[in-house]
Amino acid sequence: MGKAAITLILLCSAVMAVPVAHGIAKGPKAVEEWFQKLSHKKEKLTKLRFYFHDTLSGKTPTAVRVAQANTTSTSPTLFGVIFMIDDPLTIGPQPNSTIVGRAQGFYGSAGIKDLGLLMTMNLVFTAGKFNGSSLSVLGRNAALEQYREMPVVGGSGVFRLARGIATAKTHWFDYGTGDAIVEYQVVVIHY
Ligand SMILES: *[C@@H]1O[C@H](CO)[C@@H](O)[C@H](O)[C@H]1NC(C)=O
Ligand SMILES: *[C@@H]1O[C@H](CO)[C@@H](O)[C@H](O)[C@H]1NC(C)=O
Ligand SMILES: *[C@@H]1O[C@H](CO)[C@@H](O)[C@H](O)[C@H]1NC(C)=O
């Protein structure tokens, strides 16, 4: 097991001391009851760490260009381009590392002068205690900077009413293809 995996497990077990009923009840009634009990619930902090694999190249890309402006190709920042993504999220940085979720959504180049991506994505967890829950990220990703801070604006399942910050740091980038592996560390407050 890699260092990242151990960190993830340690972080999760440290902050998730309260047992979460697996498969949180769904449906409008369950959601309403959840809200009615909210005043008795305590906020908790959860920290997550995983790697985001953004693959533009090859036969099975997980990031596909769906639109661009007619001026995009002459823009130094590719202003106007939009990619739809379904990127695997893994425990470690290796491409064959265990998948814990997927980043589904889109990002676009929103900066004319400086590279600044608008990230609009759901982090959909598919393993462990967060399986079936998601976090929604909406923020600016200045991808050439070392650390990029993006707001987590909400969530579903165990992450209902979540809010927090996702910090992204590029682990590996291929200038030829645009493929990237990005380390994400997420801190969220939820109930
Ligand atoms: C881009 O499209 C607009 C509207 O169709 C057109 O007026 C403009 O000349 C085009 N610009 C370029 C660089 O092709
Ligand atoms: C993952 O890939 C690395 C290097 O490419 C290899 O050494 C390792 O054995 C692989 N692990 C698994 C679980 O396939
Ligand atoms: C995640 O939950 C789904 C639906 O309940 C289930 O089918 C799947 O086996 C779970 N995956 C893991 C890795 O626990």
Side-chain angles (χ1 to χ4, degrees):
M1 193 184 291
K3 207 171 128 201
I6 293 163
T7 310
L8 182 79
I9 290 162
L10 287 178
L11 289 174
C12 294
S13 56
V15 292
M16 295 295 290
V18 181
V20 176
H22 222 74
I24 190 164
K26 287 181 185 168
K29 249 207 149 88
V31 171
E32 193 184 329
E33 280 167 18
W34 185 88
F35 270 91
Q36 273 159 1
K37 289 181 193 147
L38 200 55
S39 55
H40 305 294
K41 286 184 177 140
K42 261 186 79 178
E43 271 186 343
K44 55 181 167 250
L45 195 72
T46 294
K47 299 182 195 176
L48 302 164
R49 178 178 165 177
F50 48 79
Y51 290 82
F52 167 104
H53 298 256
D54 197 44
T55 306
L56 284 61
S57 69
K59 281 205 187 107
T60 53
T62 58
V64 292
R65 190 183 289 225
V66 293
Q68 65 178 36
N70 59 358
T71 51
T72 293
S73 58
T74 56
S75 160
T77 60
L78 295 179
F79 178 62
V81 71
I82 295 177
F83 282 86
M84 188 66 69
I85 62 168
D86 185 358
D87 286 345
L89 306 174
T90 64
I91 289 175
Q94 309 82 9
N96 60 2
S97 172
T98 304
I99 293 176
V100 293
R102 310 201 63 98
Q104 298 179 335
F106 56 87
Y107 60 78
S109 179
I112 293 176
K113 267 181 73 183
D114 302 311
L115 182 66
L117 304 174
L118 165 65
M119 307 293 288
T120 313
M121 62 182 180
N122 295 314
L123 304 171
V124 183
F125 299 101
T126 56
K129 56 178 54 143
F130 306 124
N131 187 6
S133 298
S134 68
L135 288 170
S136 299
V137 172
L138 176 66
R140 177 172 187 263
N141 182 359
L144 299 177
E145 287 176 13
Q146 187 184 16
Y147 291 109
R148 291 89 70 182
E149 201 177 293
M150 291 169 258
V152 174
V153 296
S156 72
V158 301
F159 293 127
R160 281 174 189 157
L161 293 183
R163 57 208 193 282
I165 293 289
T167 310
K169 182 181 182 228
T170 303
H171 173 78
W172 174 83
F173 181 67
D174 183 325
Y175 282 90
T177 59
D179 293 353
I181 300 172
V182 182
E183 180 186 3
Y184 270 77
Q185 296 198 55
V186 180
V187 183
V188 285
I189 291 169
H190 62 110
Y191 295 93

